[in-house]
Amino acid sequence: LGLVLKALFNTANPWLIGLLAATMLAVAGYEIMARQRHRLRGLWGYGTGTLSMFLSSFSITTLALMVLLQPAPWYNPQYAIPLLGMLLGNTMTGIAVALDNLTRQTLDKAGQIEARLALGQDASQAIGDIQRDALRSGLIPIVNAMTTAGIVSLPGMMTGQILAGSPPMEAAKYQLMILFLIAAGTGLGSMAAVLLGSKRLFDVRSRLRRDRLSG
């Protein structure tokens, strides 16, 4: 592993970087699935969180590298790997919480959802309040972190830069950028996960499919 990381950071090989990024995504996707009490059956249980995280973390990381940081090359592992790791780690938490909240409330309120469907509401209307609550729960960790950053706690990146000798204001600027990127990634990922999960919970005739959930 040490030799691989050394080769990765010394040569900036895009294939090695892609392989490492894919491995990070695969492990994070499994962790999302493992954190849910009632997960979707089949490949959906793994794919929903993994796809949502790919769409959010990879797009936000690419945007940050190409527009904000602009290293040469843009996939420079010194910037790409730490940034992707921070985004994956925080987005993973938000998506896992949002999906767990979505599936758990769907089972708990199945009778209420089916009553709404019987009264003529479509699937999105019947599960709308659960979707909003799931999305809110997924955003709570990053919102709390942003609210208290610099007052209650010093985030890890800012602390590391200060200990390494960087000026505190410069460290704070980088930390703010990271927090905003994480917030955008978590919001996008949680929204994608909730929408994908909700779609799977109903069939084409807007019937609630509790059999698609395990547990």
Side-chain angles (χ1 to χ4, degrees):
L1 179 60
L3 292 175
V4 172
L5 290 176
K6 183 178 180 180
L8 175 66
F9 281 89
N10 287 341
T11 64
N13 188 314
W15 294 106
L16 285 177
I17 296 171
L19 178 61
L20 180 57
T23 303
M24 294 165 65
L25 177 65
V27 173
Y30 175 81
E31 288 300 317
I32 289 177
M33 182 181 67
R35 295 295 178 268
Q36 298 171 55
R37 182 178 180 183
H38 305 288
R39 65 179 68 101
L40 292 167
R41 295 183 184 274
L43 289 176
W44 283 87
Y46 178 80
T48 301
T50 305
L51 178 59
S52 301
M53 198 160 36
F54 173 78
L55 293 174
S56 58
S57 295
F58 278 70
S59 61
I60 297 296
T61 299
T62 302
L63 176 66
L65 290 172
M66 300 187 72
V67 177
L68 299 176
L69 299 176
Q70 298 181 339
W74 69 268
Y75 52 83
N76 188 321
Q78 179 183 351
Y79 296 89
I81 298 304
L83 183 59
L84 179 61
M86 284 186 285
L87 282 167
L88 282 175
N90 288 273
T91 304
M92 174 182 68
T93 301
I95 292 175
V97 172
L99 280 175
D100 182 67
N101 192 292
L102 174 71
T103 55
R104 178 169 44 80
Q105 286 203 57
T106 297
L107 287 179
D108 291 343
K109 300 180 179 179
Q112 177 181 323
I113 294 172
E114 290 174 338
R116 290 179 176 178
L117 293 172
L119 291 172
Q121 292 187 354
D122 59 26
S124 61
Q125 292 173 321
I127 202 174
D129 58 335
I130 296 177
Q131 288 177 320
R132 288 188 291 271
D133 191 59
L135 182 58
R136 176 181 173 275
S137 66
L139 292 175
I140 285 176
I142 182 59
V143 171
N144 286 345
M146 294 180 69
T147 302
T148 60
I151 301 175
V152 177
S153 64
L154 292 179
M157 180 180 178
M158 182 177 174
T159 303
Q161 284 190 301
I162 292 174
L163 291 176
S166 297
M169 289 303 297
E170 192 71 17
K173 290 179 182 178
Y174 275 101
Q175 186 60 62
L176 284 174
M177 179 192 73
I178 293 298
L179 284 174
F180 285 129
L181 291 175
I182 290 173
T186 303
L188 180 59
S190 298
M191 186 179 299
V194 168
L195 291 176
L196 287 172
S198 299
K199 185 175 180 62
R200 181 60 180 168
L201 291 172
F202 295 87
D203 60 19
V204 294
R205 298 174 61 183
S206 293
R207 294 177 300 186
L208 181 62
R209 296 293 303 272
R210 282 180 283 183
D211 58 299
R212 292 177 176 176
L213 289 173
S214 63

